[in-house]
Amino acid sequence: LHRVDRRQRQMCIRDSSPSPPDRQSFLGGFGRHGLAWLDQEHRVGWPGAIGGLVFTMALFFACHQTAFSPVLQCRAILQEALRLASTDPGRAEKLLQKAALADPLSSAPAEWLSSLNFHQWQTQFSQRPHEPAAWLPRLKQFEQYAYLALDLSPQDGPAWFVQGQRFLEIGNLLMGQSASQSRREACRAFQQALGCFQQAASLYPNSALYRARLAEAFAALGYQPGMIR
């Protein structure tokens, strides 16, 4: 009788605890209901799918028009301008200005415009060095494009160095003239060269070449402590 009673109690205990299949059924049902709820809450249907497709296409078109297309247009115009730079500088300058309008964020058109105006200034100055009115407008144009290029790429140390080299060469050429206006423009060019070399040296502080040109600009302005430092 005791053994039968113990067996009955054990059977009651087993019947009261959920069996593994019962637990699996419970978890499976919870998972199915949860997935059904998620599907119901996040269902977009055909209108949502079409709206997402339209939004994606609009986003792609906007990226193409604002980022990709200007770069391609600017690059194509630049290639044509560089091809004409040696034979038709006037036409090349117009094309470079057009390239700058096509991609206002690119510094390449402004850099090439500054280079073109610098070489044209050299030609005009060599032909009539004693007539500032003949070469001064071209010098102003060079300055304008040089600083525009630097404004568009302020962290480009070599760009600052190149423009500093040009300003330094302009100052050396003008300093050889006796006219007071030429000498004033020479001092101004030396100051601009100094600013460019200081910026280049600050971006590349370990460049011995940049430091040497910085010392040369200080010497051109007659500031010996800066040159020695």
Side-chain angles (χ1 to χ4, degrees):
L1 289 175
H2 289 293
R3 286 197 298 271
V4 171
D5 185 59
R6 187 169 58 240
R7 288 178 183 176
Q8 290 178 349
R9 287 198 300 268
Q10 290 175 352
M11 291 176 63
C12 290
I13 293 174
R14 285 199 299 268
D15 293 340
S16 63
S17 62
S19 62
D22 292 336
R23 287 195 294 269
Q24 292 176 1
S25 177
F26 171 77
L27 293 176
F30 180 79
R32 286 193 299 272
H33 287 295
L35 291 176
W37 177 83
L38 289 174
D39 183 65
Q40 183 69 26
E41 290 293 323
H42 297 84
R43 185 178 299 164
V44 295
W46 283 108
I50 294 175
L53 179 61
V54 171
F55 175 77
T56 303
M57 293 177 64
L59 184 63
F60 175 79
F61 179 77
C63 291
H64 181 272
Q65 291 299 111
T66 58
F68 193 59
S69 180
V71 173
L72 294 180
Q73 294 179 10
C74 178
R75 187 177 300 174
I77 300 172
L78 274 177
Q79 291 177 354
E80 180 66 15
L82 297 180
R83 187 181 65 83
L84 297 173
S86 58
T87 58
D88 192 352
R91 174 63 178 164
E93 185 172 5
K94 292 181 181 179
L95 287 174
L96 290 171
Q97 292 171 349
K98 185 178 178 181
L101 292 175
D103 189 3
L105 300 180
S106 174
S107 62
E111 162 57 28
W112 282 109
L113 280 166
S114 69
S115 176
L116 182 64
N117 280 273
F118 173 71
H119 291 298
Q120 289 182 332
W121 175 85
Q122 286 180 315
T123 301
Q124 294 176 354
F125 180 80
S126 63
Q127 293 173 352
R128 291 187 288 180
H130 305 292
E131 302 178 22
W135 46 259
L136 192 56
R138 185 62 65 178
L139 177 60
K140 299 301 181 182
Q141 285 185 333
F142 158 70
E143 295 176 3
Q144 175 186 353
Y145 289 124
Y147 284 115
L148 176 59
L150 295 174
D151 287 341
L152 291 171
S153 56
Q155 302 301 318
D156 190 351
W160 285 97
F161 178 76
V162 168
Q163 300 298 353
Q165 290 275 81
R166 291 168 179 166
F167 280 120
L168 187 63
E169 184 174 347
I170 290 171
N172 288 329
L173 290 173
L174 291 176
M175 190 56 70
Q177 302 300 312
S178 58
S180 59
Q181 186 176 6
S182 297
R183 288 185 172 271
R184 285 197 302 270
E185 291 296 333
C187 291
R188 187 167 175 271
F190 285 143
Q191 291 173 351
Q192 290 167 321
L194 178 65
C196 289
F197 290 139
Q198 285 177 327
Q199 187 66 19
S202 67
L203 292 170
Y204 288 86
N206 295 326
S207 173
L209 178 60
Y210 291 3
R211 297 286 185 181
R213 290 294 181 270
L214 182 58
E216 190 173 350
F218 274 122
L221 290 170
Y223 188 67
Q224 190 175 8
M227 178 196 69
I228 294 174
R229 185 177 71 251

